[in-house]
């Protein structure tokens, strides 16, 4: 019987599992994603068993008890000045023009930018607004709080060390946490790192404050990574800029078409044939 090697998935934004401890949360996410991966392997025509997904979970580390009330508010107007600045950096990188009038609340340009981008990309403004708030709030929580950042990286590094996967799938903010975790723990070896819908190259918001920082405008490959593939849907508005190869030594960038209904979701990336064919040589699938 053909036995496949498990893969480790590192979640992105909007993945907090309320009411579960970290072990239970990781198991819940893995269980949610397993059918999606099976769909992708079926679409690619593989007949052997689908590799088992294990999950690295860190979302619980990015929400302070005193901030949970604000964190439940998904309105753009609930963003702090620092979060609004990060949201605007993201919107600008996604092609939103500078506002003609910046007077008023700090969130006004963000609201205007979300409305403009939603119309331009034909995305529901309510959905894009929730994504903008989650992105700004969670990325800021990770980048701006050194202790939370250290703990999140340690959590991902611990999961890699425990499961020893040949393949790590790092989605959204998870690609940032994984990138820094692998640099912080150069002894960890990963045969294939696949970044999905990654904002690693976002100027003015993520790229410039990475640890380790860029040198001459370039980020470095984590020492233990043998091969790095970046997949991004052209419509994934969080993956800006999409081609990480312009800023990082990725081995391959490919466009992954996950469909409008799966906007930026890890489930969408897992459920396509391209992801399956990318990781299959490392998992024993055939």
């Amino acid at each position: 019987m053909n036995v496949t090697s498990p893969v480790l998935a590192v979640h992105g934004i909007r993945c907090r599992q309320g009411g579960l401890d970290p072990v239970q949360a990781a198991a819940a996410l893995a269980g949610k994603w397993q059918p999606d991966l099976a769909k992708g392997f079926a679409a690619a025509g593989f007949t052997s068993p689908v590799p088992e997904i294990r999950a690295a979970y860190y979302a619980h580390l990015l929400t302070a008890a005193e901030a949970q009330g604000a964190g439940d508010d998904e309105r753009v107007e609930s963003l702090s000045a620092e979060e609004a600045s990060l949201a605007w950096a993201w919107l600008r990188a996604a092609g939103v023009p500078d506002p003609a009038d910046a007077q008023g609340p700090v969130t006004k340009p963000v609201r205007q930018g979300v409305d403009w981008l939603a119309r331009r990309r034909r995305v529901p403004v309510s959905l894009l607004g929730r994504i903008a708030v989650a992105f700004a709030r969670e990325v800021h929580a990770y980048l701006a709080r050194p202790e939370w950042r250290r703990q999140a990286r340690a959590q991902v590094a611990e999961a890699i060390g425990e499961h020893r996967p040949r393949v790590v799938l790092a989605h959204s903010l998870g690609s940032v946490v994984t990138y820094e975790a692998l640099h912080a723990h150069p002894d960890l070896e990963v045969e294939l790192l696949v970044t999905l819908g990654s904002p690693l190259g976002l100027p003015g918001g993520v790229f410039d404050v990475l640890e380790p920082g860029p040198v001459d405008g370039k980020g470095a490959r984590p020492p233990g990574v043998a091969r790095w593939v970046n997949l991004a849907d052209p419509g994934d508005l969080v993956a800006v800029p999409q081609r990480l190869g312009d800023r990082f030594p990725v081995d391959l960038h490919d466009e992954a078409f996950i469909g409008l209904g799966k906007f930026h979701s890890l489930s969408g990336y897992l459920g396509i044939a391209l992801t399956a064919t990318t990781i299959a040589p490392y998992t024993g699938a055939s």
Side-chain angles (χ1 to χ4, degrees), residues 23-223:
V23 174
Q24 293 170 330
L29 288 175
K32 172 187 175 183
W33 295 329
Q34 192 67 51
D36 298 314
L37 190 64
K39 178 182 176 182
F41 270 70
F46 292 109
T47 58
S48 65
V50 178
E52 181 183 357
I53 290 185
R54 314 280 173 81
Y57 181 71
Y58 61 88
H60 61 297
L61 299 170
L62 302 185
T63 305
E66 66 272 14
Q68 285 181 0
D72 292 336
D73 192 338
E74 294 185 319
R75 295 176 303 118
V76 168
E77 290 73 21
S78 71
L79 293 174
S80 68
E82 294 81 6
E83 292 166 347
S85 177
L86 179 58
W88 179 245
W90 165 57
L91 289 166
R92 181 186 291 114
V96 175
D98 289 335
D101 178 16
Q103 299 299 317
V106 293
T107 56
K108 181 180 178 182
V110 178
R111 167 54 66 193
Q112 293 174 336
V114 166
D115 292 346
W116 183 92
L117 191 58
R119 291 194 303 271
R120 180 61 60 93
R121 296 295 186 92
R122 298 180 180 178
V123 175
V125 67
S126 58
L127 172 60
L128 188 57
R130 291 194 297 271
I131 293 292
V133 171
F135 176 82
R137 184 163 286 143
E138 295 183 39
V139 173
H140 179 264
Y142 175 73
L143 295 176
R145 307 217 183 186
E147 182 60 18
W148 293 7
R149 192 172 186 171
R150 184 194 66 76
Q151 291 176 351
R153 289 193 308 218
Q155 195 79 18
V156 171
E158 181 179 337
I160 296 174
E162 175 185 352
H163 299 295
R164 295 290 174 182
R166 298 178 67 189
V167 177
V168 172
L169 303 171
H171 177 239
S172 185
L173 173 58
S175 68
V176 180
V177 183
T178 301
Y179 176 85
E180 294 194 339
L182 289 171
H183 273 293
H185 299 268
D187 55 309
L188 294 176
E189 296 183 353
V190 173
E191 293 185 40
L192 175 66
L193 171 64
V194 183
T195 46
L196 305 161
S198 173
L200 265 169
L202 178 64
V206 175
F207 180 72
D208 311 276
V209 294
L210 287 173
E211 296 177 357
V215 176
D216 296 327
K218 299 287 186 180
R221 180 198 294 265

Side-chain angles (χ1 to χ4, degrees), residues 32-33 36-37 262 265-272:
K32 172 187 175 183
W33 295 329
D36 298 314
L37 190 64
K262 292 289 188 179
S265 72
L266 179 53
S267 292
Y269 281 106
L270 293 175
I272 59 173

